[in-house]
Amino acid sequence: MAAPVRRTLLGVARGWRQFERLWAGNLGSRSLALAAAPSNKGSPWRLLGAMCLQRPPLVSKPLTPLQEEMEALLKQIEIEKSLYSDHELRGLEESQRLARKKADFYDEEDEEDILLAQDLEDMWEQTFLQFKPGARITEADNKNDRTSLHRKLDRNLILLVREKLGDQDIWMLPQAEWQPGETLRGTAERTLATLSENNIEAKFLGNAPCGHYKFKFPQALRTESNLGAKVFFFKALLLTGDFTQAGKKGHHVWVSKEELGDYLKPKYLAQVRRFLLSDGLSCL
Amino acid sequence: MASVTLGACARALRPPSGLLGNWQMQIRDSHQRASLLSFWKLIPMRAEPLRKKKKVDPKKEQAVKDRLKKRIRKLEKASQELIPIEDFITPVKFLDKARQRPQVELSFEESERRALLLKRWSLYKQREHEMERDTIRAMLEAQQEALQELQLESPVLYTEATKRDPSLFPFETKGPDYTPPVSNYQPPEGRYNDITKVYTQVSFKR
């Protein structure tokens, strides 16, 4: 008897909470219908457009042990199932000729090649050793300099910005208030332009937001028409450009998904992580 | 027409002078003629008058040309060659027996190891696929919720958000390499001859 009663009570509580959410939403839509204007006068929620700017990875991820084993096996199978190439045939012929020379002890035709296949391979090896490729783990990684773009080259890096809201300094994705007459994506592009002073080029992925975050203002700031704000996130991929060093230091940071937890508030972080791909997968 | 012109040419070429010669001939054999002035025999009447060009001729010429064009078109259609796909044509030098490697005999342990590795790999790929699917589903849910919230806020912004973005596709981006690019790299200098075969298919469209 007690269990079903408890369940019904819980059900009632859940229903009440949903009703509250619906009621708040309906209030917004009803007042919009009354206002009948493109701007957001009726709704108590302010609109903010935010930008999730990601730097795609420059370098491939290191392979797991299983992947390395599989790679080795596939290479082996490929060699086993292939035919001899011209270079390999040449090498085989020359080794046969050398063996005959040693066995027979008489000079064969003088039209030997001066360069054997083996010599060619040695030369190629030498040129390869002289080439110094770029480092996969950069200095910025070693110093853990989070403001530089050159760290964690195998991950996505997301831009975070520190701003004042009320009396607090909060880390968040760059955002700006929506102004009537522009789309929300336009707001996000405006954020990018003002933040980077037009140095950064980014490709926005579509007109639709990828996530949202809703929060209410603290009791002191709440008014009848100003209940809280909704932030809509738009994804963008960084093409070129970076922040100039002369800009404000300590106010922006490029961070991978695991390090987001160091900066963002829990609820905000939970909503942001929903639209970011986890680390086991490629960039998106 | 041709015979008339031929005749005229022959008469012009005959020595000595033509007309005078004719007169002389007629005076010579005037005893054979009935009267001195048998008109039609005096004047050479073996020539034909020049035919006038009839108006039907341009049409006939046009018809002849069309027939010729039709024949050309049929020939061209028949001989349209397809561009050969180089990948499907095995070059003859690869059919040489000397190129084949000796058959590798795998030991029992090796074949076992390979089989077990392939099984582990298939399991890993299955899990990776499921993870990807779940992540994409979660991302889509987040997007749908955001769009619902936006619709509650303002239908105008919602309609603008759900519009297609024509500048998004075609989308090209360079994927990750094994090492990052070196900033002051000097590539080695040299020329190369590009010997790729470029086929053009000629299509006759009139």
Side-chain angles (χ1 to χ4, degrees):
Chain A
M1 216 17 213
V5 167
R6 210 179 298 141
R7 230 179 282 137
T8 46
L9 271 173
L10 277 171
V12 163
R14 223 179 294 130
W16 176 250
R17 249 178 264 136
Q18 278 178 358
F19 175 69
E20 240 188 346
R21 229 179 290 143
L22 269 171
W23 182 71
N26 276 345
L27 178 70
S29 59
R30 224 182 293 136
S31 45
L32 247 166
L34 286 171
S39 65
N40 229 9
K41 290 180 209 156
S43 140
W45 298 95
R46 285 166 64 181
L47 288 184
L48 299 165
M51 174 188 58
C52 175
L53 185 62
Q54 292 182 320
R55 185 220 64 185
L58 290 174
V59 145
S60 56
K61 286 212 169 75
L63 297 175
T64 61
L66 176 61
Q67 284 176 331
E68 287 193 4
E69 277 186 46
M70 196 63 197
E71 187 192 18
L73 174 63
L74 287 174
K75 280 190 181 166
Q76 216 179 344
I77 292 179
E78 190 179 325
I79 293 178
E80 282 170 17
K81 290 197 175 178
S82 66
L83 298 173
Y84 283 127
S85 64
D86 291 339
H87 179 80
E88 282 186 319
L89 278 181
R90 183 180 157 179
L92 285 172
E93 282 174 15
E94 279 161 10
S95 56
Q96 280 177 0
R97 211 191 298 160
L98 281 173
R100 259 186 291 143
K101 262 182 88 171
K102 278 186 196 163
D104 293 356
F105 289 115
Y106 70 91
D107 278 326
E108 290 224 359
E109 328 84 54
D110 283 18
E111 42 167 273
E112 290 175 11
D113 303 320
I114 303 170
L115 262 173
L116 299 179
Q118 194 62 40
D119 297 335
L120 274 176
E121 282 181 19
D122 291 334
M123 269 167 48
W124 295 335
E125 188 75 34
Q126 289 299 314
T127 11
F128 177 62
L129 288 171
Q130 280 172 8
F131 171 67
K132 294 273 176 288
R136 283 163 64 95
I137 301 178
T138 56
E139 316 168 7
D141 268 329
N142 294 333
K143 284 190 257 167
N144 205 11
D145 175 22
R146 294 196 172 177
T147 52
S148 94
L149 261 183
H150 262 277
R151 61 185 284 266
K152 295 227 170 175
L153 295 172
D154 56 345
R155 310 271 173 80
N156 280 353
L157 289 184
I158 303 160
L159 180 66
L160 287 186
V161 147
R162 183 161 66 179
E163 285 194 18
K164 276 206 164 198
L165 269 192
D167 358 317
Q168 294 174 339
D169 258 343
I170 311 182
W171 284 102
M172 60 166 98
L173 298 178
Q175 66 194 26
E177 176 120 24
W178 173 76
Q179 281 161 9
E182 66 177 359
T183 64
L184 276 173
R185 178 180 158 163
T187 321
E189 283 167 350
R190 189 163 49 92
T191 356
L192 180 64
T194 45
L195 200 61
S196 70
E197 287 123 32
N198 288 333
N199 272 341
I200 294 190
E201 277 182 26
K203 171 107 184 173
F204 275 84
L205 303 174
N207 282 328
C210 55
H212 75 290
Y213 177 64
K214 204 162 64 171
F215 64 97
K216 291 188 182 168
F217 296 138
Q219 287 286 346
L221 290 174
R222 264 186 237 184
T223 59
E224 286 251 336
S225 61
N226 228 352
L227 195 57
K230 289 190 187 175
V231 190
F232 291 96
F233 300 103
F234 288 85
K235 262 198 194 164
L237 287 182
L238 180 74
L239 294 172
T240 50
D242 195 1
F243 288 105
T244 48
Q245 284 302 316
K248 312 157 239 178
K249 278 200 174 177
H251 283 245
H252 76 272
V253 133
W254 293 95
V255 135
S256 71
K257 195 180 170 185
E258 311 91 43
E259 297 160 1
L260 277 180
D262 301 340
Y263 293 87
L264 299 178
K265 296 273 169 76
K267 284 191 187 170
Y268 192 78
L269 174 67
Q271 287 286 78
V272 164
R273 275 162 71 123
R274 289 178 70 192
F275 60 80
L276 292 175
L277 261 189
S278 60
D279 242 344
L281 308 170
S282 45
C283 74
L284 239 190
Chain B
M1 275 273 284
S3 54
V4 166
T5 44
L6 264 173
C9 289
R11 244 173 282 129
L13 286 170
R14 216 191 299 151
S17 50
L19 268 171
L20 264 176
N22 267 343
W23 276 112
Q24 279 168 9
M25 278 198 356
Q26 269 141 21
I27 293 168
R28 236 186 285 143
D29 63 350
S30 60
H31 64 279
Q32 289 176 352
R33 274 187 276 128
S35 69
L36 264 177
L37 298 163
S38 44
F39 185 67
W40 298 112
K41 294 177 189 165
L42 272 175
I43 303 169
M45 292 303 269
R46 270 175 282 178
E48 258 182 53
L50 289 170
R51 277 189 215 160
K52 272 194 210 157
K53 267 210 172 173
K54 294 180 202 167
K55 282 174 193 166
V56 194
D57 270 345
K59 277 193 194 167
K60 272 193 188 170
E61 283 180 23
Q62 192 64 30
V64 166
K65 274 189 200 167
D66 282 332
R67 259 178 270 141
L68 281 174
K69 275 187 196 167
K70 251 194 178 174
R71 253 176 248 159
I72 293 171
R73 237 179 282 158
K74 275 190 192 166
L75 281 174
E76 283 160 8
K77 265 193 197 170
S79 72
Q80 206 178 40
E81 279 177 18
L82 301 170
I83 299 175
I85 302 174
E86 308 236 356
D87 291 342
F88 292 171
I89 307 168
T90 326
V92 183
K93 66 176 184 176
F94 291 145
L95 299 170
D96 191 10
K97 286 263 167 146
R99 290 224 178 215
Q100 287 178 356
R101 282 177 204 267
Q103 280 286 328
V104 177
E105 290 288 331
L106 289 177
S107 67
F108 175 70
E109 289 90 14
E110 177 65 21
S111 58
E112 282 289 305
R113 179 193 80 99
R114 285 189 183 186
L116 290 172
L117 178 59
L118 287 170
K119 290 194 179 194
R120 276 190 296 155
W121 179 251
S122 72
L123 189 66
Y124 167 77
K125 283 304 254 186
Q126 183 195 23
R127 289 198 183 135
E128 193 185 46
H129 182 254
E130 281 170 10
M131 226 167 53
E132 274 184 20
R133 203 183 45 197
D134 293 337
T135 321
I136 292 178
R137 192 163 19 104
M139 285 169 83
L140 280 177
E141 269 179 36
Q143 190 173 46
Q144 286 301 315
E145 278 186 27
L147 281 173
Q148 270 178 15
E149 291 279 330
L150 186 56
Q151 192 179 32
L152 290 174
E153 277 299 298
S154 110
V156 179
L157 287 177
Y158 176 76
T159 37
E160 291 208 44
T162 44
K163 278 187 194 160
R164 280 182 198 232
D165 181 15
S167 64
L168 181 59
F169 293 114
F171 178 40
E172 278 185 20
T173 176
K174 198 168 173 298
D177 300 311
Y178 187 67
T179 50
V182 180
S183 47
N184 52 356
Y185 180 61
Q186 298 282 338
E189 284 184 20
R191 287 183 302 163
Y192 60 90
N193 290 331
D194 199 1
I195 54 169
T196 40
K197 291 188 193 170
V198 177
Y199 294 95
T200 42
Q201 195 173 36
V202 190
S203 57
F204 295 91
K205 284 182 191 163
R206 300 254 174 106

